Amino acid sequence: MPSANHLTKYINVLKDIQRVLWQAAADDVPPRVFVYAELKRRLEHSQYLIRTGMIRLSESSKPSRTDIAYRVCKWLVEDNTHYVMFVQAFTNAADAMRRINIDPHTVSFAFSFDQRRWEAEALGDNPIRILHLNFYYIGAEPRIWDAVLKAILNPSSHERQLAENFVRTSEAQALLAVYADISPLRLHDVYNLSEMFDALNAQYFGGSVPKPLIAWTSRANYRKVGSYHFVSNMILISKILNDRRVPEFAVRFVLYHEMLHIVHGYYVQNGRHFAHTPEFLEDERKFEQYEEAERALRMIKKLTSEP
Ligand SMILES: [Zn+2]
């Protein structure tokens, strides 16, 4: 009869996997394949025990450390692309450290599964001796990794905004959902901005627009429902639009508008930035539901600006 602590082992399993993957990334060699095979074998056994009722998963709303470890391990093997993404994340971490001349071997690195974005410790000459980064960063691209490290080394860095906003992207939220049921970091993500971007890109731009970071704002911005930041290559959409009462075409229109900023760029005259050129506005009108979207947004701004 398996004991209740059968699943507790996954806390160590997850720790071991992370250690092996980080070692491989620091050495710049591919990880040993048996890591994945061993994990898969273990999980199949646990799932058999769960199916036959020999172990029961806890049903409390706050998952325990054991639940979290089990969920993450399950997620890692249920789709090969998940494991590949996880392995790649360690490589991305090691590469980002090398780019700022930190030898990954000198850093104790692991992904964490709590409410913090990151936790870093310096020691003596080591600017980063320990780094625990939240699991939702595993899908982050290299420039986000660079921003995270810069923000850790220098909290007043301009990159900090880029590093911190990552949690409010649809990609990060999907990863957060792997282990956290309720979390202050979790959004009620009504619209998936990442998928919306891909669909708009295919429909209006032949897929030619390079994908920026797309996140919801942290504060409710009523006057400015969207913005594009050229320097950090980031689109921010006001979180007031992340609401079922807002029609989807209105959100699509705001995102489309911000995409046009990427395509059209801006020019500077007398120290002022101009982006809404006649050509820009002409392209904006090509949006299928232009009139309805304009009307809906005017209404939303009017409704939300009244106390
Ligand atoms: Zn604009």
Side-chain angles (χ1 to χ4, degrees), residues 224 226-228 254 257-258 260-261 275-276 280 284:
K224 200 169 168 192
S227 56
Y228 174 64
V254 173
H257 176 105
E258 303 313 330
L260 288 177
H261 280 307
H276 300 135
F280 180 104
E284 194 182 31

Side-chain angles (χ1 to χ4, degrees), residues 14-192:
L14 193 55
K15 246 185 222 160
D16 289 346
I17 294 171
Q18 295 218 63
R19 197 159 43 228
V20 170
L21 294 183
W22 179 235
Q23 186 63 49
D27 292 346
D28 206 8
V29 296
R32 288 167 291 172
V33 275
F34 77 83
V35 176
Y36 183 74
E38 172 63 19
L39 180 61
K40 209 173 161 123
R41 193 194 59 74
R42 240 174 201 286
L43 266 150
E44 274 162 9
H45 179 59
S46 299
Q47 274 160 350
Y48 165 77
L49 296 176
I50 290 167
R51 255 201 324 277
T52 53
M54 286 164 81
I55 40 178
R56 271 186 209 133
L57 296 177
S58 80
E59 276 155 27
S60 73
S61 60
K62 193 176 176 295
S64 66
R65 278 177 66 219
T66 303
D67 293 337
I68 289 171
Y70 176 70
R71 284 178 195 186
V72 175
C73 288
K74 192 160 144 276
W75 180 85
L76 283 175
V77 298
E78 76 192 6
D79 183 333
N80 189 250
T81 62
H82 295 168
Y83 183 70
V84 170
M85 185 198 257
F86 198 53
V87 172
Q88 184 61 45
F90 285 90
T91 305
N92 288 346
D95 288 345
M97 287 177 196
R98 288 186 198 103
R99 280 196 291 277
I100 52 169
N101 298 317
I102 291 178
D103 177 358
H105 291 102
T106 64
V107 184
S108 163
F109 173 81
F111 289 101
S112 57
F113 306 88
D114 52 31
Q115 310 296 347
R116 282 168 297 194
R117 288 183 172 90
W118 55 71
E119 203 189 356
E121 245 173 61
L123 182 78
D125 290 341
N126 277 9
I128 301 175
R129 172 72 193 92
I130 298 172
L131 175 57
H132 292 161
L133 189 64
N134 200 297
F135 173 72
Y136 64 70
Y137 279 99
I138 69 165
E141 54 185 295
R143 72 189 188 99
I144 305 296
W145 279 98
D146 291 343
V148 167
L149 293 182
K150 275 179 198 154
I152 288 168
L153 294 175
N154 173 18
S156 60
S157 144
H158 291 302
E159 311 269 345
R160 191 182 173 127
Q161 211 201 2
L162 186 61
E164 291 191 349
N165 279 324
F166 188 71
V167 68
R168 291 190 305 279
T169 63
S170 298
E171 286 89 350
Q173 289 295 315
L175 289 163
L176 207 42
V178 171
Y179 74 90
D181 294 331
I182 305 162
S183 152
L185 299 172
R186 281 272 313 262
L187 291 167
H188 175 58
D189 206 355
V190 175
Y191 295 114
N192 185 317

